[in-house]
Amino acid sequence: MQKLLVATLLTAAATAPALAAPGYKFTVLGDWSRIHDINNLGVGAGQGGECCDYVAQTYSAAGIAAVPLPSSIVSSGAWGINDHGTIVGTAGTSTWEERAFVYANGTYRDLGGLAGDSSTARAVNNAGSVLVTYGKPNDLAFGSYVWSEAGGMVDLGSLGGNYTWGSALNERGQVAGISSTEEGYGRVFRWTDGEMEDLGTFQSEFGYSVDGISEQGEVFGSRDEMHSSHAYIIRADGMVEDHSDLSRISYIDAGGRIYGTDQAGWGVIVEDGVKTSIAALTEGAAGWSFGTTAVNEAGQILATAHDGTDYRVVLLSPVPEPATYGMLLAGAAVLGWAGRRRR
């Protein structure tokens, strides 16, 4: 009976949802650079360097490293990375072309574009699907496609107009972004299995953006005002939520926890309507301010931080690690049961 109870408790703990992290620890990776993504192994993608001489980079607890691209590439930026280590981004050639690329298993692949000579690979999921935006020549317009080894290039189409800008891709293969109508108006879209869904538009004199799509199909972004930005979420059922206390949302996890930026420009986590500063959750963070540029399913955050003097790239990791929560609960439950047995 004792063995059965222990086994049951351990099984329940392993399958229980993750609890809110009690805090974070942080590691300084290096000086400021542009961060775009982080995978579930804690490896990020971005770019360093100065104008016209950008370098695609990876970020991890071991530090910052350049992506080893061919010598013919004169500038580059990494926009996405999946759990297999596949990196996607844009590469500049000596003829000033910008080309979407995939770097996997030590091999560089130029994806190009369906039209024109300007393209950027913006995201990659674990199935190997790559989201690419491309410029249409002599048309001042943009298109987007999804590429994979199995399916090749699949253009997303549009809502009737001459541009579609795909911003985000999730593990289900859904894409979110902005597409124009025949009348030229920009609309938020969600593309699923070849079908583009019109999610509406926002009244904003200074425009709006689509910044991401959750694994549940929730689309999020921000509306720009004269002196501020206000975040929004379009839920999977189409309902729109205004989050005016946030200037930007970076990630929504499976439990509905929101990682974003407040109106002061620093990172916060919102859970059950309660907003908490990431600096307040982080060990040894006195004098530091943190952003929330890229977040993974384990709750790790790759971000820009300010140490009171300068900007740095930091990796924040939950303490304790999410995988240990269930074991801690199981241990507590077993000890409690054993204590009752002794009495």
Side-chain angles (χ1 to χ4, degrees):
M1 181 62 183
Q2 181 177 355
K3 292 181 179 179
L4 176 61
L5 178 57
V6 171
T8 302
L9 289 168
L10 291 174
T11 300
T15 58
L19 301 180
Y24 278 88
K25 62 181 179 180
F26 73 100
T27 304
V28 178
L29 304 184
D31 293 336
W32 178 88
S33 59
R34 291 173 174 82
I35 301 163
H36 295 136
D37 195 18
I38 184 173
N39 66 16
N40 292 318
L41 302 179
V43 181
Q47 66 185 53
E50 302 295 334
C51 178
C52 308
D53 193 26
Y54 294 119
V55 177
Q57 296 181 152
T58 58
Y59 306 79
S60 70
I64 302 175
V67 179
L69 301 181
S71 59
S72 59
I73 302 304
V74 298
S75 66
S76 58
W79 281 84
I81 183 170
N82 68 14
D83 294 349
H84 306 295
T86 299
I87 299 167
V88 302
T90 185
T93 69
S94 58
T95 57
W96 300 103
E97 294 178 326
E98 292 185 347
R99 310 288 291 179
F101 76 83
V102 176
Y103 181 83
N105 300 317
T107 300
Y108 171 86
R109 181 168 187 164
D110 181 345
L111 291 185
L114 287 177
D117 58 8
S118 173
S119 59
T120 299
R122 299 197 168 273
V124 58
N125 64 19
N126 287 330
S129 295
V130 181
L131 171 62
V132 178
T133 57
Y134 63 90
K136 298 179 180 179
N138 306 318
D139 199 16
L140 297 178
F142 297 93
S144 298
Y145 66 82
V146 172
W147 175 89
S148 67
E149 285 280 6
M153 293 182 180
V154 178
D155 196 82
L156 302 188
S158 75
L159 292 172
N162 66 352
Y163 75 84
T164 292
W165 188 267
S167 302
L169 170 74
N170 67 14
E171 291 299 327
R172 295 163 59 185
Q174 294 177 300
V175 176
I178 297 175
S179 184
S180 63
T181 64
E182 188 174 359
E183 296 77 21
Y185 299 114
R187 311 275 292 186
V188 179
F189 75 84
R190 179 172 50 219
W191 183 90
T192 308
D193 296 331
E195 297 293 330
M196 184 176 288
E197 179 184 1
D198 184 344
L199 298 180
T201 189
F202 294 93
Q203 298 299 320
S204 175
E205 184 178 354
F206 295 91
Y208 61 92
S209 65
V210 171
D211 299 321
I213 181 169
S214 74
E215 298 310 322
Q216 295 73 45
E218 301 155 316
V219 177
F220 50 89
S222 60
R223 297 178 291 106
D224 297 327
E225 307 298 340
M226 181 177 291
H227 300 296
S228 63
S229 296
H230 302 284
Y232 67 83
I233 301 173
I234 304 175
R235 297 295 183 181
D237 61 2
M239 294 295 293
V240 179
E241 290 181 4
D242 182 55
H243 289 263
S244 58
D245 57 333
L246 302 179
S247 62
R248 183 174 180 268
I249 293 173
S250 300
Y251 188 74
I252 303 174
D253 70 15
R257 194 176 295 120
I258 299 171
Y259 297 76
T261 305
D262 64 16
Q263 291 298 336
W266 298 113
V268 295
I269 297 176
V270 182
E271 185 169 12
D272 296 328
V274 178
K275 182 174 64 177
T276 306
S277 164
I278 288 178
L281 293 170
T282 304
E283 298 175 356
W288 285 78
S289 299
F290 300 94
T292 56
T293 308
V295 186
N296 65 18
E297 292 176 6
Q300 289 180 298
I301 302 169
L302 184 62
T304 298
H306 194 269
D307 63 6
T309 302
D310 211 343
Y311 288 93
R312 312 292 183 191
V313 175
V314 300
L315 178 65
L316 296 107
S317 299
V319 181
E321 298 294 336
T324 68
Y325 298 161
M327 293 305 295
L328 290 173
L329 284 177
V334 170
L335 288 173
W337 178 83
R340 287 195 297 273
R341 287 282 294 175
R342 285 195 296 271
R343 289 194 299 267

